[in-house]
Amino acid sequence: MRLNFLSASLVNVQQTVLFSAEGAVVVNGPHPARYALRKLLVYGERSGGFAAKSNNDLVRTGCLLSLPKERRPWEVEEAWADLIGRGKSWLTRTKQGLQAADKAFPELTLRDWLKLPGEQ
């Protein structure tokens, strides 16, 4: 897996708290919308023996996009515009992931919400 696709997740990094039996710790992490959309991109990158991981990418995408779609859609739309504007290879992989996620989570109507260049 190429690490250059991580750059989209590193925009708008946020602080959050993780809890464990030993206590709490503040960590920096990607914005949930950017993380979810990156999973669409990664889905288009995986093949062969990584098919099971591809399905996990789709599940994460569906889970992480359901709430922001209802409450903060502009955050996802801003991250989407950034992601699909990063070049042809990014767009190709993201398109593959979007098609698969739309089939896996039809109730989210992702293709109606997240438009690709040239779509109305």
Side-chain angles (χ1 to χ4, degrees):
M1 185 65 49
R2 295 188 334 209
L3 294 178
N4 62 337
F5 294 129
L6 284 173
S7 62
S9 297
L10 299 177
V11 176
N12 197 14
V13 173
Q14 299 180 340
Q15 287 190 329
T16 190
V17 177
L18 297 178
F19 297 98
S20 72
E22 289 80 30
V25 63
V26 176
V27 297
N28 292 326
H31 187 281
R34 289 186 174 273
Y35 181 77
L37 294 177
R38 181 182 173 273
K39 288 297 177 180
L40 288 179
L41 176 71
V42 171
Y43 176 88
E45 180 76 2
R46 295 191 197 274
S47 62
F50 295 103
K53 288 186 177 189
S54 294
N55 291 331
N56 288 337
D57 293 332
L58 290 181
V59 170
R60 287 186 183 107
T61 296
C63 291
L64 288 169
L65 289 181
S66 60
L67 188 62
K69 184 178 186 217
E70 294 177 21
R71 297 191 180 171
R72 302 176 72 89
W74 63 90
E75 291 180 349
V76 178
E77 292 159 5
E78 178 184 299
W80 178 254
D82 177 51
L83 186 73
I84 64 173
R86 289 181 176 246
K88 186 177 178 181
S89 65
W90 288 64
L91 182 59
T92 301
R93 288 169 178 85
T94 302
K95 183 177 180 179
Q96 292 170 349
L98 180 62
Q99 290 170 345
D102 199 44
K103 288 180 185 177
F105 297 95
E107 67 279 4
L108 289 177
T109 60
L110 294 175
R111 292 298 302 263
D112 294 337
W113 179 32
L114 303 174
K115 300 292 185 187
L116 293 164
E119 292 181 347
Q120 296 294 337

